[in-house]
Amino acid sequence: MTSPDHNPSPSPNGSLLSLHGPEFAADPEGVYRRLRAYGPIAPVELSPGVPGMLVTDYQVALEILRDQVRFPRDARRWQQGIPSDCPVLPIMAYRPTCNLTDDPLRSRLREAVTDTLDRVDHNALRTFVERSANRLVGRMSPLGEVDLRTEYALVLPLLVFNELCGCPAELGERMVAAVREVLKWENSEEANMTLGFAVLELMALKRENPGPDLTTWLMDHPAELTDEEVAHQIVMLVGAGSELAQNLIVNTLRLLLSDERFRGGLSGGSLSVEDALDEVLWTDPPLANFGISYPVEPLDFHGVRLPADQPVVISFAAANNDPATRAEDRAGNRAHLSWGIGPHACPAQGQARVIATVAIERLLDGLPDMELAVPAEELTWRPGFIQRALSSLPVRFPPAPGPPQPLPGDPYPPAGPGAVAEPPAGPAAEEAPMPRPPARWWRRLANWWAGDTA
């Protein structure tokens, strides 16, 4: 193993390899290969002027993910030295959520989130996703050519989120749009505030009109989460349930439409959508680098010196493809790290698989002759070290007769030529106005979200 003392930087010119910018987005595996030459953990630049340590070794990643003592998740000591306008701060900063905290708080929050998600009926979820997907396919089918990211994979998780959380369409769109802005790392501080205020509006709505939804169940859970804790669990759920679900769907569709092993499977071959999902979770996971911990004191760990209070980031993508553990045939193998593992493993992975699988199956059934509109190598990836996300996924197919139809209450009206912009009909068109939050409650939470804890 190479010692850091003999190779102080993975870059020949002595600078840290960057995990931000278009170069990394275009070829992350090339960066991971260079970092592996350094050892199982290598120093990187997460954002301009923000150093970190990236774990690329599968076994070392397992060890860190299971060790809450040496590798705590609390970012507060680290973020004291980070400027408030740092673009990665809204993603990496401490939040009282079950994935960014340590015990005993983690266990209490995790219990509330897990119990709440367990109340979701998987059959009802599958039925809702099928119905929504069929309607989206129906509005796209006359167009002949669409961007599946914006017209399908972005819309469907939003519809599901709104349904599960009892969220009005306009408010859900505002939340998801804010998440997208945060992950662009442009004006992310402002987007974080927009996201927080939208979540508080949803909670105010559920205080006045509770229902059989995730928001109400979290607020009423026996663990008695504070308003602040509820707000942050919702932020966690909307982030994972919108952007990461979108990326999982898009990355899997890219594989199905570009890899000959799966192209044959689209018309009844031996490789299924589930196989494609597992392949993507191994090779192009939507959450590429996260699971961040912050050692409270310097550590000598697997021959690498880890500074205190500096982020240790798990590269799920690199660890999954560690040459030391990679197998040629991964069919049916779900030992990847893409959902995390140990005490901070994703609590919603069952629901995420249902949403992604049904979304892809319905699309392939509805548009069986679909193909990429550009060569796969010309597709571009969005910058950012955390997610693996395509900028677009243009496809073409024989158009069906008739104009596309809008969905009732759809926050994204059809964008193609000939789209019919009719007002939505039925109950969705008559949503009750948002109740005004109690002044003291709103002011306290708004001030707290803005950082005023006095």
Side-chain angles (χ1 to χ4, degrees):
M1 181 181 298
T2 304
S3 167
D5 294 334
H6 297 93
N7 184 15
S9 171
S11 178
N13 64 9
S15 62
L16 296 178
L17 281 182
S18 167
L19 299 192
H20 55 89
E23 295 81 8
F24 173 74
D27 184 24
E29 186 52 46
V31 174
Y32 299 146
R33 281 196 300 270
R34 294 169 66 185
L35 292 172
R36 288 191 187 101
Y38 183 88
I41 310 174
V44 293
E45 187 177 63
L46 304 175
S47 182
V50 180
M53 305 295 290
L54 191 74
V55 181
T56 59
D57 181 282
Y58 182 91
Q59 295 298 333
V60 173
L62 282 178
E63 186 176 347
I64 292 174
L65 290 169
R66 290 169 172 162
D67 188 341
Q68 297 183 78
V69 177
R70 288 182 297 173
F71 296 96
R73 295 291 181 101
D74 193 325
R76 282 176 286 192
R77 283 167 47 125
W78 165 77
Q79 69 192 57
Q80 288 175 4
I82 302 298
S84 62
D85 60 352
C86 175
V88 297
L89 188 58
I91 295 292
M92 295 177 60
Y94 172 82
R95 295 181 188 270
T97 60
C98 62
N99 66 328
L100 299 178
T101 52
D102 306 306
D103 283 331
L105 178 59
R106 181 207 65 85
S107 294
R108 186 172 69 87
L109 297 176
R110 175 81 180 205
E111 179 186 13
V113 170
T114 301
D115 289 349
T116 296
L117 290 169
D118 284 347
R119 296 182 68 172
V120 175
D121 185 312
H122 275 223
N123 290 328
L125 175 60
R126 177 178 290 274
T127 298
F128 180 81
V129 177
E130 286 179 345
R131 185 169 67 247
S132 300
N134 288 340
R135 291 158 69 198
L136 286 171
V137 171
R139 80 171 192 174
M140 292 189 301
S141 60
L143 300 177
E145 186 166 349
V146 297
D147 176 3
L148 285 180
R149 176 180 167 253
T150 58
E151 294 294 316
Y152 188 73
L154 186 150
V155 184
L156 185 56
L158 173 58
L159 297 175
V160 175
F161 169 79
N162 290 346
E163 175 74 7
L164 292 179
C165 290
C167 185
E170 181 276 331
L171 185 55
E173 156 61 8
R174 217 183 323 144
M175 278 191 269
V176 172
V179 169
R180 291 198 301 270
E181 289 300 313
V182 167
L183 289 170
K184 285 180 184 177
W185 298 346
E186 300 169 0
N187 303 315
S188 57
E189 186 178 10
E190 178 181 346
N192 186 49
M193 294 299 297
T194 300
L195 173 60
F197 292 153
V199 168
L200 299 185
E201 285 187 40
L202 174 60
M203 292 172 61
L205 172 67
K206 294 287 97 180
R207 277 178 177 269
E208 296 293 326
N209 299 286
D213 53 66
L214 296 180
T215 310
T216 300
W217 294 336
L218 271 174
M219 295 173 72
D220 292 344
H221 192 273
E224 297 183 341
L225 272 61
T226 66
D227 291 329
E228 293 89 344
E229 289 169 346
V230 170
H232 280 291
Q233 309 323 300
I234 296 172
V235 168
M236 175 186 69
L237 291 172
V238 69
S242 59
E243 195 71 11
L244 296 182
Q246 172 202 157
N247 296 342
L248 179 57
I249 293 169
V250 170
N251 293 0
T252 305
L253 286 169
R254 168 185 169 272
L255 177 67
L256 286 164
L257 294 170
S258 63
D259 191 314
E260 288 301 320
R261 295 173 301 150
F262 293 94
R263 283 292 301 167
L266 299 185
S267 56
S270 59
L271 294 174
S272 67
V273 168
E274 288 278 359
D275 293 326
L277 274 174
D278 286 328
E279 176 85 2
V280 164
L281 288 167
W282 275 107
T283 59
D284 269 325
L287 189 66
N289 302 288
F290 206 57
I292 306 172
S293 58
Y294 303 84
V296 297
E297 58 185 26
L299 291 176
D300 291 315
F301 189 72
H302 287 271
V304 179
R305 184 70 167 176
L306 303 180
D309 301 319
Q310 189 175 108
V312 175
V313 182
I314 303 296
S315 179
F316 301 121
N320 284 348
N321 295 283
D322 182 350
T325 57
R326 181 169 183 172
E328 288 301 319
D329 183 11
R330 288 171 165 174
N333 184 344
R334 295 182 180 175
H336 56 74
L337 303 180
S338 299
W339 302 116
I341 199 166
H344 293 96
C346 173
Q349 53 189 282
Q351 291 85 354
R353 285 195 75 99
V354 169
I355 294 167
T357 301
V358 174
I360 295 166
E361 289 175 345
R362 293 291 88 207
L363 179 67
L364 297 179
D365 286 347
L367 301 174
D369 298 320
M370 176 176 56
E371 62 181 11
L372 287 175
V374 299
E377 58 271 17
E378 293 183 12
L379 297 171
T380 59
W381 300 88
R382 287 179 278 162
F385 78 91
I386 290 177
Q387 61 173 350
R388 180 67 167 160
L390 280 170
S391 301
S392 64
L393 187 64
V395 297
R396 56 177 172 247
F397 45 86
Q405 298 296 320
L407 298 179
D410 186 4
Y412 292 92
V420 177
E422 296 178 352
E430 302 173 359
E431 287 177 347
M434 206 80 66
R436 185 178 182 84
R440 178 181 294 179
W441 180 87
W442 175 265
R443 187 165 54 249
R444 176 179 61 83
L445 278 183
N447 289 343
W448 177 84
W449 195 278
D452 180 7
T453 56

